[in-house]
Amino acid sequence: MPLDAPARAIPVRKSALGALGALALATGALESVVTPTLPLLQRELRMSPGEGALLSIVLLITGALVTPAAGRFGDRYGGRRVLVLLMAVVSAGGLVSALAPNLPVLLLGQVLQGAMVGALPLSFILLRTHLPAGRAKTAIGVVSGLFVGGGMTGTLAAGPVAEGLSRHWMFALPTGAVAAATVLVHRLMPQDPPGLSGGPRFDWAGLLLLSGALVVLMLVLALAPELGAQPVLFVALLVLLAVLATAWTAVERRSAAPTVDLRLLARPAVWRACVLTLVVCAGTSVAVYLVPQLLSVSGDGYGFGASATRIGLLLLPGAVAASLAGPLSGTATRRLGARAVVAFGVVLLTGALFALAAVHSEVWHVVVGKACVALANGLCVTALVTSTAMSVGRGDTGIASGLVLVSRVVGFAVGAQLGGALLTAGTPAGSAVPAESVFVAGFLVAGAVSALSLLVVRTLSEGDK
């Protein structure tokens, strides 16, 4: 649908754009509260490391599944309408998370909150509908920046709120901000006219099968340390995973409008980008999960016993590095090509992970290492998304980007669950403190996996330089 067509341009007040920016700020804050407070949540809810890893990525998984549907429905029925409905789901999820007495209820709240990931594409639809092309590009950059800024705010504020009030308030406060901003968007933003109602039906079967496959995969990874004593259950889950993955592949190949067009994977530029994204994000995710655990633990001769407030402060440099990585990668990719940027990012990521394994006796070692990991991941993923988008036709850009998005989610999920499984296996019975060797092993495994991706980087085409 031609979103930039002049016929669709509708005047919009600055207050409406301000409401959209406020919504981006609030959703960014709500999305980021779990990471710095994960050790606190694990203690209060008596979670195993594997369960903590699952909590840390369930929102991302839901977001990856919701985003394709949100964009398509927003394009067809109007961005404001779908955005308000999604934010109602997010607000309900935030309320469930705030009131959650136990892990299952908190997981349900996070699943509902995952709908917020679809907010940015819908905001972009509104901005491209109501603003001229030049102003729309600027506004999209501002809204994206506010989302990142909200993430930094949530990272800093979650710890003090959870420790000063309770874990319930760290969800309740940003949820209230999301609900208020949603009301402002509904009242101030003009309704964009719906698009054409024709075209192929949405691929509900593919979305449901992909959801089931990802959920079973997460269960396999989360329960892996305990499944050794239950081999029948382990095999049953693997068989179920294989059945769901096979059925999803068959449905996507036959669908007229697949959620994820697997036929594009036949193109070398696309499958290489997907493999690299998965591996890079898996290595990154191990560090994203292990670093807060290392900062919070107070073991025999290692660890720092950091509070949730201090963890948030120590994670801030990594959040800043991640926010700078996108613009830096975009500029470097235009000048040097995607292959050079990805190669540099992988080397930086691998070096940072090995350095964390070797040296983590001082707080600044961990902070610098985590910042390098965040910067490297941002450089790689941005360059890979850009090169993938430019390697396909205009009509396939969204679908190819969707493949990279799914690869990113699977990589983060696998890495987080691997970190959780390592901590579970390395924690002595009757103790809450894992052995230091577990952190060393986790960083070494993540570094080795990241280093292997250089074999794929070498095969990137000359067009990607």
Side-chain angles (χ1 to χ4, degrees):
M1 185 180 63
L3 294 175
D4 293 324
R8 294 196 61 182
I10 304 172
V12 60
R13 292 178 294 177
K14 290 183 178 179
S15 57
L17 299 178
L20 210 57
L23 182 61
L25 190 68
T27 52
L30 181 58
E31 183 191 48
S32 62
V33 298
V34 169
T35 299
T37 59
L38 186 58
L40 180 149
L41 291 171
Q42 289 180 210
R43 290 193 299 269
E44 290 196 3
L45 297 177
R46 298 179 181 177
M47 288 185 278
S48 69
E51 291 170 336
L54 181 62
L55 178 64
S56 71
I57 51 90
V58 67
L59 184 149
L60 184 62
I61 294 174
T62 305
L65 297 171
V66 167
T67 299
R72 187 165 299 178
F73 287 148
D75 212 18
R76 178 171 294 185
Y77 301 112
R80 193 196 72 170
R81 180 181 304 170
V82 178
L83 177 61
V84 169
L85 289 174
L86 270 188
M87 290 302 101
V89 174
V90 172
S91 298
L95 182 61
V96 171
S97 296
L99 298 175
N102 51 44
L103 178 59
V105 178
L106 182 55
L107 284 174
L108 173 61
Q110 291 297 291
V111 167
L112 295 175
Q113 282 181 223
M116 74 173 66
V117 181
L120 279 181
L122 291 169
S123 298
F124 298 161
I125 288 176
L126 288 171
L127 293 172
R128 293 184 66 188
T129 298
H130 296 303
L131 297 175
R135 289 187 60 197
K137 290 180 180 178
T138 301
I140 287 173
V142 171
V143 169
S144 300
L146 286 171
F147 182 81
V148 174
M152 294 182 189
T153 302
T155 299
L156 281 175
V161 170
E163 293 176 337
L165 298 174
S166 72
R167 63 177 172 85
H168 305 285
W169 283 103
M170 78 177 189
F171 293 108
L173 292 177
T175 297
V178 168
T182 301
V183 171
L184 291 176
V185 169
H186 178 68
R187 299 184 68 173
L188 299 175
M189 180 66 67
Q191 174 65 51
D192 48 324
L196 299 176
S197 58
R201 298 176 60 184
F202 184 75
D203 181 25
W204 287 110
L207 182 64
L208 290 174
L209 288 169
L210 178 59
S211 303
L214 287 175
V215 168
V216 174
L217 175 61
M218 294 307 100
L219 286 175
V220 169
L221 294 172
L223 300 176
E226 290 83 18
L227 285 178
Q230 305 178 62
V232 175
L233 176 59
F234 184 71
V235 172
L237 286 174
L238 289 179
V239 170
L240 179 58
L241 177 61
V243 170
L244 289 171
T246 302
W248 174 65
T249 301
V251 167
E252 294 299 90
R253 287 182 176 276
R254 296 175 183 175
S255 174
T259 304
V260 179
D261 192 346
L262 297 178
R263 289 165 291 196
L264 282 178
L265 282 176
R267 303 185 184 185
V270 176
W271 73 256
R272 287 168 183 158
C274 289
V275 170
L276 283 170
T277 300
L278 190 151
V279 174
V280 165
C281 288
T284 299
S285 185
V286 173
V288 169
Y289 176 75
L290 289 182
V291 164
Q293 306 289 337
L294 178 59
L295 291 172
S296 69
V297 74
S298 183
D300 183 14
Y302 83 101
F304 306 96
S307 64
T309 298
R310 192 181 181 207
I311 289 173
L313 185 63
L314 295 175
L315 292 179
L316 184 61
V320 173
S323 68
L324 296 175
L328 288 174
S329 181
T331 301
T333 299
R334 286 195 300 271
R335 294 182 177 180
L336 305 174
R339 185 167 66 182
V341 175
V342 174
F344 174 80
V346 170
V347 171
L348 177 61
L349 175 62
T350 303
L353 290 168
F354 284 152
L356 282 170
V359 183
H360 49 261
S361 58
E362 300 290 340
V363 169
W364 71 267
H365 297 160
V366 182
V367 172
V368 172
K370 174 63 171 62
C372 289
V373 167
L375 177 63
N377 179 262
L379 290 173
C380 291
V381 173
T382 301
L384 289 167
V385 170
T386 301
S387 65
T388 303
M390 298 303 294
S391 70
V392 299
R394 185 180 299 272
D396 291 328
T397 300
I399 301 172
S401 300
L403 284 168
V404 178
L405 174 62
V406 171
S407 302
R408 175 177 177 268
V409 170
V410 173
F412 267 103
V414 169
Q417 295 298 150
L418 175 60
L422 286 171
L423 283 190
T424 298
T427 302
S431 172
V433 180
E436 182 181 6
S437 59
V438 175
F439 292 97
V440 175
F443 291 131
L444 285 176
V445 170
V449 170
S450 300
L452 289 175
S453 64
L454 287 172
L455 298 175
V456 183
V457 173
R458 293 178 64 252
T459 69
L460 290 178
S461 67
E462 290 298 323
D464 295 325
K465 298 183 181 179

